[in-house]
Amino acid sequence: MTIYVILGFTLTNNKIHPILQKRLDLFLKKYKKGDKIILSGGKNKQNEKHTQAFAMKKYIRSHVDIENKDILLETRSKTTIENIFNTLKLLDESKSSNITIIS
């Protein structure tokens, strides 16, 4: 089992930006049943309806059958530094040594 970490990217009109889509598509190519994923990204703009993490989850769920329990959302970060800091807290709880970061 691998834990994938995907760092967010600002949404454009509440939609996945092409840079973020490339990250998500890379995950979709590598994903195997039983893998887990941490999606990291909050709201960068006041007018965003959802967090980056929520938008990423929606995109992934529309392309692959992955259980909700295998998706962790980090929704507070607004910068890459915050992405990493907040994600490290989630990784500490997982106690896994097989981690792939997609950024």
Side-chain angles (χ1 to χ4, degrees):
M1 178 217 27
T2 300
I3 296 178
Y4 290 92
V5 175
I6 301 179
L7 303 183
F9 193 92
T10 301
L11 302 177
T12 304
N13 297 322
N14 293 301
K15 296 189 187 305
I16 299 286
H17 187 279
I19 290 173
L20 184 53
Q21 183 176 342
K22 285 182 182 182
R23 295 175 188 177
L24 298 170
D25 290 342
L26 177 60
F27 164 76
L28 293 171
K29 287 179 187 175
K30 295 183 167 289
Y31 173 74
K32 292 182 181 80
K33 193 81 171 165
D35 288 342
K36 299 191 182 305
I37 183 169
I38 297 174
L39 304 171
S40 182
K43 289 184 181 182
N44 284 51
K45 301 173 187 166
Q46 293 294 330
N47 64 345
E48 288 180 343
K49 292 180 184 176
H50 302 289
T51 63
Q52 296 165 27
F54 178 84
M56 289 189 282
K57 178 181 177 181
K58 186 175 175 183
Y59 182 88
I60 287 170
R61 295 286 318 263
S62 71
H63 288 84
V64 71
D65 182 26
I66 182 171
E67 296 185 36
N68 273 329
K69 70 176 182 64
D70 292 332
I71 303 172
L72 297 172
L73 302 182
E74 184 289 301
T75 60
R76 296 177 298 172
S77 59
K78 296 179 183 177
T79 67
T80 302
I81 298 297
E82 289 177 357
N83 282 137
I84 294 167
F85 180 74
N86 294 329
T87 299
L88 281 173
K89 292 178 187 175
L90 294 173
L91 287 171
D92 280 345
E93 297 168 11
S94 74
K95 296 183 171 93
S96 177
S97 60
N98 194 7
I99 299 164
T100 299
I101 297 173
I102 301 174
S103 176

